[in-house]
Amino acid sequence: MKKIIILNYSSCENNLRLCIINTLIKQYCIVHVLESNHWKNTKNKLQYIKKPLKIIINSIGYINKLIKFIRKLDDYDVIIIGYPAYLDFLIVRIFGYKYLNKVIIDFFLSSYDTVILDRKIIQRTTLRAKLLFMTDKWLLKKGNKVMVDTNVNIDRYRSIFDLEKKNIYRVFVGSYFLLNPLKKEINKKTNNNKMNVGWVGSIIPLHGIEKILAVASLLREKDFIFHIIGDDPDNEWAERNSPKHHNQYINFYGRLNYHDSMEILSECDICLGIFGDSDKAKSVIPFKIFDYMALRKVIVTQNSRAIQELGVLSGLFMVDNTVNALVNQLMWIKKNIKNIQIKYPDIRQLMENDLRKFGILNNEKH
């Protein structure tokens, strides 16, 4: 039976993707983890861009632990390095070069793509942007195998970073419900008068919250109630904007934990996906889509090559990324919801199929 070590591991709340992967592979393999408690949230994970030396200093304890652990890598068949993998991969290259052929890097997101191209926090012409570009390219190029979230992102990264590398594989991000199934019964629509529409996510350009609020405003007299869950990375958007948006047709909840978010969404009739305008927005399938699938909800999201990787699914509606297209689709669903049959694939099976491409999983559970 294969033995796998996951480096740079943190709690499920702070690295949901890696926690889901751990849950799946330990059914088939012996899995150990080396925890890095410094990465307490996504905001912290982006701090190395602004204060790289501070991050390195704060990580000294983990670095020492990893260096001491290097000699034990002989015991493992596969080494998975969790996002962000820069520091761990560098240390393995320096102190455990012979183990590099065992390494799989979780390239959950590109820092250059996220900070420079999508959020535009730093100008592309600055030295910091160029260093980010070089660092991401180095990681993708030198990693033995790399996992990303969609096939579209594989093509994008090859184009952005001018790569010919073949050993980049897709592994869908999966759903929170693979770890914690919702215990309450999922709501069945009984009231035809009101249509509850849910959305959860970070208030960042990627997700297109402005379009969703515009749609809510246009549908305010059409018996739609919108439930908006989330905040921006600095927890400021809700404080600034919720008073002007929270009204009889929009319930704004701010940031909630996963369980409370899913409780609210389980009561909704329709759940909304991603409506950002950037190339990144068209290249991802976020956690929320898989969570909605697990909740067996009608889903509406922008049409993209990435979302098409799921195939044509009954209950999942792909629309043009405009306010009018979303309004028209929601009105159609309201009129026809009784006739919509929801047929989604098994999320666990989708992820296991992807993980088998790495040769991690076999067909026998232990």
Side-chain angles (χ1 to χ4, degrees):
M1 184 175 295
K2 286 182 179 174
K3 290 185 67 177
I4 298 176
I5 179 69
I6 303 178
L7 306 180
N8 197 26
Y9 190 82
S10 55
S11 69
C12 294
E13 181 180 353
N14 303 324
N15 194 334
L16 180 59
R17 170 178 168 82
L18 204 57
C19 193
I20 292 170
I21 290 172
N22 179 28
T23 299
L24 293 178
I25 63 177
K26 69 184 180 183
Q27 298 178 79
Y28 298 86
C29 312
I30 297 170
V31 183
H32 297 153
V33 302
L34 191 69
E35 290 200 40
S36 173
N37 293 323
H38 179 67
W39 306 115
K40 294 180 180 179
N41 54 46
T42 303
K43 182 181 176 182
N44 274 10
K45 291 180 180 183
L46 292 177
Q47 288 301 310
Y48 63 80
I49 297 167
K50 300 177 181 178
K51 302 175 181 178
L53 290 179
K54 181 179 179 181
I55 292 297
I56 292 174
I57 291 171
N58 290 342
S59 302
I60 287 175
Y62 175 72
I63 292 171
N64 287 333
K65 182 167 64 172
L66 178 56
I67 291 173
K68 291 177 183 177
F69 193 84
I70 290 290
R71 59 185 176 83
K72 297 181 181 179
L73 295 180
D74 272 325
D75 299 335
Y76 296 95
D77 303 294
V78 178
I79 303 164
I80 298 175
I81 304 180
Y83 163 81
Y86 308 105
L87 193 57
D88 296 70
F89 186 63
L90 178 62
I91 290 171
V92 172
R93 281 187 66 84
I94 295 172
F95 297 99
Y97 194 84
K98 66 179 181 178
Y99 303 117
L100 289 176
N101 64 338
K102 299 181 179 181
V103 170
I104 296 174
I105 291 171
D106 177 21
F107 202 72
F108 174 57
L109 57 80
S110 161
S111 299
Y112 177 79
D113 184 28
T114 301
V115 175
I116 310 301
L117 303 183
D118 186 62
R119 301 190 192 179
K120 297 179 172 58
I121 296 173
I122 301 172
Q123 294 297 316
R124 295 177 67 172
T125 55
T126 63
L127 177 60
R128 191 176 296 180
K130 293 176 181 178
L131 288 173
L132 271 181
F133 176 88
M134 292 169 59
T135 304
D136 273 356
K137 182 172 181 175
W138 167 78
L139 192 62
L140 286 166
K141 187 175 181 179
K142 297 299 182 181
N144 176 51
K145 292 181 180 179
V146 179
M147 69 171 86
V148 302
D149 58 338
T150 66
N151 288 326
V152 175
N153 261 337
I154 293 175
D155 293 337
R156 284 188 69 241
Y157 294 153
R158 285 176 176 153
S159 175
I160 291 171
F161 299 106
D162 190 24
L163 297 171
E164 296 181 358
K165 183 180 180 65
K166 296 181 179 179
N167 293 336
I168 308 178
Y169 301 89
R170 180 194 71 190
V171 177
F172 286 131
V173 294
S175 168
Y176 169 80
F177 292 106
L178 293 177
L179 307 174
N180 297 291
L182 195 66
K183 294 180 180 179
K184 65 176 289 185
E185 183 179 352
I186 296 173
N187 176 52
K188 305 290 185 182
K189 177 131 187 93
T190 56
N191 185 345
N192 291 323
N193 295 324
K194 299 292 183 182
M195 187 68 52
N196 288 285
V197 181
W199 179 88
V200 62
S202 296
I203 311 297
I204 55 178
L206 177 72
H207 294 288
I209 185 65
E210 296 84 2
K211 288 190 183 77
I212 294 169
L213 293 175
V215 168
S217 179
L218 290 172
L219 293 175
R220 62 185 179 274
E221 296 179 1
K222 303 292 184 180
D223 291 325
F224 283 84
I225 301 174
F226 286 74
H227 304 269
I228 307 297
I229 305 167
D231 205 346
D232 73 321
D234 294 319
N235 301 322
E236 296 175 352
W237 193 93
E239 185 176 339
R240 293 194 312 267
N241 294 281
S242 59
K244 66 181 179 182
H245 289 305
H246 196 103
N247 50 51
Q248 69 272 19
Y249 59 90
I250 301 179
N251 293 320
F252 190 86
Y253 299 88
R255 182 174 297 183
L256 301 176
N257 63 41
Y258 243 98
H259 181 78
D260 290 343
S261 299
M262 296 304 119
E263 286 275 351
I264 292 169
L265 293 172
S266 72
E267 297 292 335
C268 292
D269 306 295
I270 306 168
C271 289
L272 301 179
I274 189 168
F275 296 95
D277 295 316
S278 67
D279 287 341
K280 181 177 179 180
K282 298 176 178 65
S283 305
V284 299
I285 309 175
F287 286 108
K288 65 165 79 45
I289 296 295
F290 294 99
D291 290 336
Y292 300 159
M293 288 168 61
L295 286 170
R296 316 304 290 176
K297 294 298 176 182
V298 174
I299 303 168
V300 183
T301 192
Q302 73 162 302
N303 193 5
S304 68
R305 286 176 54 218
I307 200 71
Q308 289 170 15
E309 291 180 31
L310 293 172
V312 178
L313 304 179
S314 179
L316 171 62
F317 295 87
M318 308 176 196
V319 300
D320 291 340
N321 194 23
T322 66
V323 170
N324 285 340
L326 183 51
V327 166
N328 291 336
Q329 186 66 73
L330 292 178
M331 289 295 294
W332 184 91
I333 291 172
K334 183 175 186 292
K335 182 178 179 181
N336 296 279
I337 194 163
K338 286 185 176 181
N339 300 320
I340 296 174
Q341 294 187 358
I342 296 175
K343 296 180 181 178
Y344 297 143
D346 182 90
I347 299 168
R348 181 185 298 271
Q349 190 63 53
L350 288 177
M351 293 192 69
E352 288 183 355
N353 290 342
D354 282 348
L355 287 166
R356 284 190 175 91
K357 299 172 189 174
F358 287 100
I360 295 176
L361 303 185
N362 54 33
N363 293 320
E364 295 182 4
K365 296 184 180 182
H366 69 85

